[in-house]
Amino acid sequence: AAGVIQSPRHLIKEKRETATLKCYPIPRHDTVYWYQQGPGQDPQFLISFYEKMQSDKGSIPDRFSAQQFSDYHSELNMSSLELGDSALYFCASSPGPGELFFGEGSRLTVL
Amino acid sequence: SQQGEEDPQALSIQEGENATMNCSYKTSINNLQWYRQNSGRGLVHLILIRSNEREKHSGRLRVTLDTSKKSSSLLITASRAADTASYFCATDAAGGGADGLTFGKGTHLIIQP
């Protein structure tokens, strides 16, 4: 069965650079979520989209933005990267209330 | 402290024993979910229990929910080495909207062969 696809799986950037992460949700899932998980930390909710419209925002820095496109894929854009942005970034999708289906994550390392 | 705190933070047991992890939360919820995460990998959904349910089973997993105490427990019976992972509880807050789940700190479970 198709799962949530994230790319790239690994990304290395310098401070103050920009990074873009992509997420392809499971077909027919109407909601997409982005989470950030620092080393040894629990996942923190960043932002979500329902039917291509931003639905809710969590602890997403102003330097980050996200959008969902007409084909339902989503992108997380991160600018002016800081060392503290190094983390695993997960995308998840869901067909409605309840279980979230997570991708394998994109590991961002900021040097 | 945050929503969805778990204890213990780490648990090491012998293969074949039962493992119990606990989770506490603060707000009213629609449901509570448990996820498993192998190191550096994605989160895998294990089980969901709704706010009007008290106990749920799935294979070797048993989850309880006590909304009066705002707590839940996950029991893994007859543990196997492959159960070694981090386990997170996550709450879906009441009130609707796609505001995501709030995860606890997780319990790192180690099953000794």
Side-chain angles (χ1 to χ4, degrees):
Chain A
V4 175
I5 306 296
Q6 290 188 245
S7 67
R9 291 295 310 280
H10 302 273
L11 189 60
I12 299 175
K13 290 285 185 179
E14 300 278 340
K15 281 193 305 184
R16 293 179 287 279
E17 286 191 320
T18 298
T20 298
L21 306 180
K22 296 185 178 182
C23 169
Y24 296 83
I26 293 172
R28 291 179 291 283
H29 281 198
D30 57 16
T31 309
V32 169
Y33 307 82
W34 284 97
Y35 283 82
Q36 177 192 57
Q37 187 179 28
Q41 301 296 311
D42 54 294
Q44 294 289 319
F45 170 67
L46 294 179
I47 195 167
S48 63
F49 294 87
Y50 173 72
E51 285 293 340
K52 295 168 282 186
M53 299 288 290
Q54 182 184 304
S55 177
D56 204 4
K57 289 179 81 169
S59 50
I60 184 170
D62 291 341
R63 299 177 288 108
F64 291 11
S65 65
Q67 56 183 325
Q68 188 175 26
F69 295 85
S70 58
D71 64 351
Y72 287 86
H73 94 273
S74 178
E75 295 184 3
L76 178 66
N77 300 294
M78 300 172 283
S79 62
S80 303
L81 288 169
E82 302 173 356
L83 296 178
D85 296 329
S86 295
L88 266 171
Y89 290 83
F90 289 105
C91 174
S93 69
S94 70
E99 177 184 352
L100 268 60
F101 294 78
F102 282 82
E104 286 294 314
S106 294
R107 182 177 295 280
L108 171 66
T109 302
V110 181
L111 302 176
Chain B
S1 53
Q2 294 190 14
Q3 179 91 329
E5 294 196 352
E6 284 139 84
D7 78 271
Q9 289 191 339
L11 179 62
S12 180
I13 60 174
Q14 294 294 122
E15 196 167 22
E17 294 181 335
N18 296 341
T20 300
M21 291 160 271
N22 302 295
C23 166
S24 62
Y25 58 93
K26 293 188 179 299
T27 64
S28 296
I29 61 171
N30 291 321
N31 63 71
L32 184 144
Q33 303 175 34
W34 285 89
Y35 286 80
R36 168 200 165 113
Q37 184 180 36
N38 286 64
S39 181
R41 303 295 299 276
L43 293 118
V44 176
H45 176 87
L46 294 175
I47 196 165
L48 179 154
I49 185 165
R50 292 186 165 74
S51 61
N52 62 352
E53 297 175 312
R54 293 296 165 258
E55 187 171 312
K56 203 161 182 181
H57 297 254
S58 176
R60 292 185 296 113
L61 305 180
R62 174 178 167 257
V63 169
T64 63
L65 179 64
D66 187 335
T67 52
S68 66
K69 295 181 180 178
K70 290 187 166 62
S71 67
S72 173
S73 68
L74 171 67
L75 168 69
I76 303 175
T77 60
S79 63
R80 304 167 182 169
D83 294 331
T84 294
S86 291
Y87 292 82
F88 293 89
C89 74
T91 51
D92 180 6
D99 53 359
L101 300 175
T102 301
F103 283 82
K105 296 296 184 189
T107 293
H108 184 50
L109 176 65
I110 298 172
I111 308 298
Q112 312 265 14

